[in-house]
Each structure stands twice: as C-alpha cells, then as structure tokens.
Amino acid sequence: MKLVVATRNKHKMEELHALLASWPVELLSALDFPEIPEVEEDGATFEANAIKKAVTFARATGCWALADDSGLEVAALNNAPGVYSARYAGEPANYPANNAKLLRELSGKTDRRACFRCVIALSDPQGHAEIVEGRCAGHIITALRGTSGFGYDPLFVPDGQTQTFAELPADVKNAISHRGRALQAAHDRWQELFMTRGAGSPAHKEENPATPSRGRGFQPRGIAARFKSPMKNNRQRTTNN
Ligand code: ITT
C-alpha cells in the first residue's frame, strides 16, 4: 500500500522514514509529486494545517496521505511561535534566523519552559481525515548546542535529559519527541488499517461516502470507528466524526 507523506521537509521525512520503518507501506513524499503545488499553511491550528496538507495530497494523488504539522510553543511568549514556527523570523523559512529571534525574545526571561507539538493527520483518498497528537515538554537554553536534527533542536532540552535534541542521537530523539509520540499513537490507532488494506484500495467507500467540500476546502470525517486500538498515552481527537 502506498502512503504519501505530505512534506517537502527532508529532515522531517528522514525522521518519519525511521519511525514508520515497521509499517507495511511504501512511503512516498511530496517530492515525488512536484506537480502538486505547495499547500498554503493558513490554518489557525496545527490540526487545521495537518488536515489540509493530508487531504490535499490524498485527493490529488488518489493515495492515502499523512501530514505532520508541528511547532514549538514557548510559555513565556504566550505559546509563540506555535503554528508560525517555520517562519518565525519571516519569509523565507530560515532555521538560524528563527533560533536567533527566539533567543532575543527570551533574553532576560527566567521562565524558559517550552513544548514541541506535532499533529499528524491521515486522510483516505476521498479526503476523510483523522488526527493524532504528540507533545514533548522541555526548556529553551541560552545558546545553541549540537548539530543534529533541524529547526529549534539546538535550543531545546527535553524534560529528563541534559542534552539538546541536536546533541542527542536520532533514535533517542525519535523515542521521546513530539513526532515520535504522535506516530506511536498513529501506529496504535491505524495499524489495523495498514495490515489489512491492499495497495491503493479506497477506504470504506460505502460506509463513509466522500463528503462535499465546504469552508476551508474539506470536511473531514473520522475513520476512527473502523479501528479498534484505543490511544494510549497521547491525546487523540477525531475530526468531526
Ligand atoms: P512541511 O510543512 O513541508 O511538512 P515545514 O518545515 O514547513 O514542512 P511545519 O509547517 O510543520 O513544517 O513547521 C514546523 C516547524 O516547526 C519547522 O520548520 C521547525 O522550525 C519546527 N519544528 C517542528 N518539529 C521540529 C523538530 O522535531 N525539531 C526542531 N524543530 C521542529
């Protein structure tokens, strides 16, 4: 079964490849579909953006699609940069500029608590989507440390660790990160789907006929009812089921 990951972020894709290694799926990414234009992330929430990316790619490719919308929420900054994490310092997205801005904004502040959030949406080819979420709490240090990972990794020390995400080995980051936790939830919730479906077969067409587009361009309906495994440690929500 083909699964399109709706991202052009190579670092994210590397992490997803490692994290999805045990799934019986052939992973494709947005880079395999250069004809599909970049999806504008204009939602007010991680959920809205993740669903928009997944549904757009699912409908455009006729495959199941998965999208991750993620970012960093900093307590002392009223949860900024949040959904604006990728372009915190402006266009075009630039990791060093974002990190420099974060350090400036936190300069002199003693409350350095922060939380990475990751919302993963899975959409069937008709555009019915469901989400899971993972979080990783930690704090922001005062100078960059480490060279692995991407984004805010050199400034973020997860709770229970002394090293930043950019210093920790990739497998340690993946085990505790917001993305790793969201994917663990996804695995628990959706594995039956990937174990039982044949390549490219559309999902439960009769039970959940495609819902007409509305509002932001999609009207997701949950596919949760079909899957037995309850979520364990992660928050989960179905979308408008
Ligand atoms: P796609 O939309 O193509 O997937 P993107 O980089 O634009 O790629 P997002 O919209 O989800 O991804 O923005 C996420 C931003 O949040 C990302 O650019 C980083 O700045 C930050 N971020 C997310 N996960 C991170 C992680 O694991 N480590 C460090 N920074 C992260």
Side-chain angles (χ1 to χ4, degrees), residues 67-125:
D68 150 338
D69 199 55
S70 45
L72 182 71
E73 293 184 339
V74 179
L77 303 178
N78 294 322
N79 288 337
V83 287
Y84 306 107
S85 292
R87 290 162 188 80
Y88 188 38
E91 296 278 1
N94 179 311
Y95 298 146
N98 289 341
N99 284 325
K101 178 170 179 184
L102 181 58
L103 286 177
R104 274 198 312 278
E105 298 289 329
L106 281 178
S107 168
K109 297 205 191 302
T110 50
D111 181 1
R112 316 280 298 190
R113 287 172 302 141
C115 183
F116 268 123
R117 289 181 57 198
C118 173
V119 173
I120 288 181
L122 176 70
S123 173
D124 75 9

Side-chain angles (χ1 to χ4, degrees), residues 6-9 12 15 30 38-39 41 46 49 53 67-72 82-87 93 95 98 116-118 149-154 165 173 177-179:
T7 184
R8 293 191 164 85
N9 181 325
K12 218 189 235 188
E15 290 188 6
E38 187 149 348
V39 180
E41 296 182 39
F46 294 116
N49 286 330
K53 288 191 268 189
D68 150 338
D69 199 55
S70 45
L72 182 71
V83 287
Y84 306 107
S85 292
R87 290 162 188 80
Y95 298 146
N98 289 341
F116 268 123
R117 289 181 57 198
C118 173
F150 68 103
Y152 300 95
D153 281 346
F165 265 165
K173 177 185 174 185
S177 77
H178 48 309
R179 188 163 299 104

